[in-house]
Amino acid sequence: MYRFLLTPRWWGINVFAVLAIPVCIFMGSWQLSRFEDRVDSHRQQEDRSARAKTAAARPLEQLLPVDQVTSGRQASARGHYDAGHQLLVPGRTLKDKHGERQGFYVLTLLRTDGGKALPVVRGWLPGDAGAKADTAKVPAPPKGEVTVTGALQASENQGSDGVPGGGGPAPGRLTMISAASLVNIVPYDVYDAWITLTDTQAPLRAVPPAAAEGSGLDLKAFQNLGYTGEWFVFAGFVVFMWFRLFRRESEAARDAALGIGVEVEGAVGADGAVGADGAVGADGGVWPEGCAGSDGAVGATGGVGAASREASGRTEEGRDEGGGEGRGEGSGEGRDEAARAGRA
């Protein structure tokens, strides 16, 4: 019954199933490990952020370049603010006791003693960066040489959290905080990093540091979890389809062994239909192969059609009438002659 498993068709099905199931399980396990790595990285980043708030600030040069370890660490730099290149970063939200509020960052470049400039987010203000009433509240940066301390952050990009999409910034504004965005605005080199001040001037509010890219439970992390489920579903689907095909083939083989569903030559159909060779027709008569069909032509099964039977009937009727008259007349004349001879 199960000899069909040795056919070339089933060899292909079995090889595909044997290879597909482990691949799906491996890919699902790999996606799950990626999700777990992101969860562990998120926890480590939270721990580092908590320690960074109480840790002593380190010189900026010792923390560059910014990575997942140094992101959020307290950094210090010394120099003087370039008040002529103060920029506003619109479209930024900040959470407070009233919920999330729309506003803008106030960014000022700090010309360090090393010659490069460090973007410094001095704070956040609610409102619209294009409204004069809101921008008038921005305090002027301190004059002279200052030492700033704040959380170190990596340069933003289009995929960073909080960066709005759309066209280019208006004069005096900046869409995202990065050295690539500032290179055409200021005439000097800029660090590929920025800091957000812990202590701000009123009415500015401190901007909390963001988690390092790839270390939080963002959309990508939950995509890994979704892909995990998809790969395991694929593995289950392969198993399901294999058993479904196997059951169908085995049932067909069992029915063939019992003779169920097999056409037998000369057998009478369920409604008395003609079989392959000389089967009993609907009217119970035997229709030999090669006889005329309903219109006198030879049919597929060679059965006698209605028109052919009618013509045959008329022929037989004529023969019966002719033969009967001949026999009747001949017999009657002979009996009359014999009777007259006897009387004589």
Side-chain angles (χ1 to χ4, degrees):
M1 184 179 299
Y2 302 120
R3 290 180 181 177
F4 62 86
L5 292 173
L6 301 178
T7 60
R9 173 172 172 266
W10 269 93
W11 268 108
I13 294 175
N14 293 335
V15 170
F16 172 78
V18 168
L19 294 178
I21 293 174
V23 169
C24 292
I25 294 176
F26 170 78
M27 293 300 297
S29 301
W30 179 74
Q31 290 289 349
L32 181 60
S33 66
R34 293 285 296 169
F35 174 74
E36 292 175 345
D37 290 342
R38 289 182 179 273
V39 172
D40 294 339
S41 178
H42 175 66
R43 291 174 179 172
Q44 293 173 4
Q45 183 65 27
E46 287 184 338
D47 294 340
R48 284 195 295 265
S49 299
R51 292 194 301 267
K53 293 179 180 179
T54 58
R58 297 177 60 184
L60 175 66
E61 297 293 343
Q62 297 180 9
L63 300 176
L64 295 177
V66 185
D67 54 20
Q68 291 188 0
V69 177
T70 60
S71 178
R73 294 288 300 271
Q74 293 292 311
S76 63
R78 187 172 180 82
H80 61 275
Y81 283 113
D82 183 2
H85 289 94
Q86 182 163 270
L87 301 169
L88 304 180
V89 186
R92 300 305 176 106
T93 59
L94 195 67
K95 293 182 180 179
D96 57 11
K97 61 181 180 181
H98 303 291
E100 289 189 353
R101 301 174 64 188
Q102 190 77 10
F104 55 91
Y105 293 167
V106 177
L107 183 144
T108 309
L109 291 165
L110 180 74
R111 299 290 303 273
T112 64
D113 297 336
K116 283 187 176 182
L118 175 66
V120 178
V121 174
R122 295 168 51 216
W124 174 89
L125 278 177
D128 185 4
K132 292 183 178 180
D134 294 329
T135 57
K137 301 176 183 178
V138 178
K143 295 181 180 181
E145 193 171 30
V146 295
T147 300
V148 297
T149 302
L152 185 63
Q153 300 281 267
S155 291
E156 296 179 335
N157 53 58
Q158 290 292 342
S160 299
D161 188 22
V163 175
R173 302 177 198 175
L174 192 66
T175 303
M176 60 183 177
I177 309 171
S178 68
S181 300
L182 292 166
V183 68
N184 295 324
I185 298 177
V186 297
Y188 37 76
D189 293 334
V190 180
Y191 282 107
D192 191 18
W194 57 283
I195 65 172
T196 171
L197 295 183
T198 305
D199 299 325
T200 61
Q201 298 172 262
L204 296 176
R205 295 186 54 187
V207 176
E213 187 175 357
S215 64
L217 295 179
D218 52 6
L219 180 60
K220 292 182 179 180
F222 291 101
Q223 283 180 344
N224 292 132
L225 188 61
Y227 293 151
T228 299
E230 287 182 0
W231 282 111
F232 287 143
V233 169
F234 291 158
F237 181 75
V238 172
V239 175
F240 167 75
M241 289 303 300
W242 188 93
F243 274 106
R244 184 172 181 177
L245 293 173
F246 173 79
R247 186 178 65 179
R248 187 177 67 179
E249 291 282 347
S250 61
E251 289 177 352
R254 184 171 59 252
D255 292 344
L258 296 176
I260 300 174
V262 180
E263 295 184 358
V264 181
E265 287 193 4
V268 182
D271 56 352
V274 180
D277 290 320
V280 179
D283 56 354
V286 177
W287 297 352
E289 187 173 4
C291 292
S294 60
D295 56 354
V298 177
T301 58
V304 179
S308 180
R309 289 198 303 271
E310 183 178 355
S312 177
R314 287 197 298 268
T315 303
E316 292 295 333
E317 183 179 353
R319 285 200 297 268
D320 291 343
E321 290 177 356
E325 290 178 359
R327 286 193 299 272
E329 291 176 356
S331 298
E333 291 177 358
R335 286 195 296 271
D336 290 344
E337 292 177 0
R340 285 195 298 270
R343 283 193 300 271

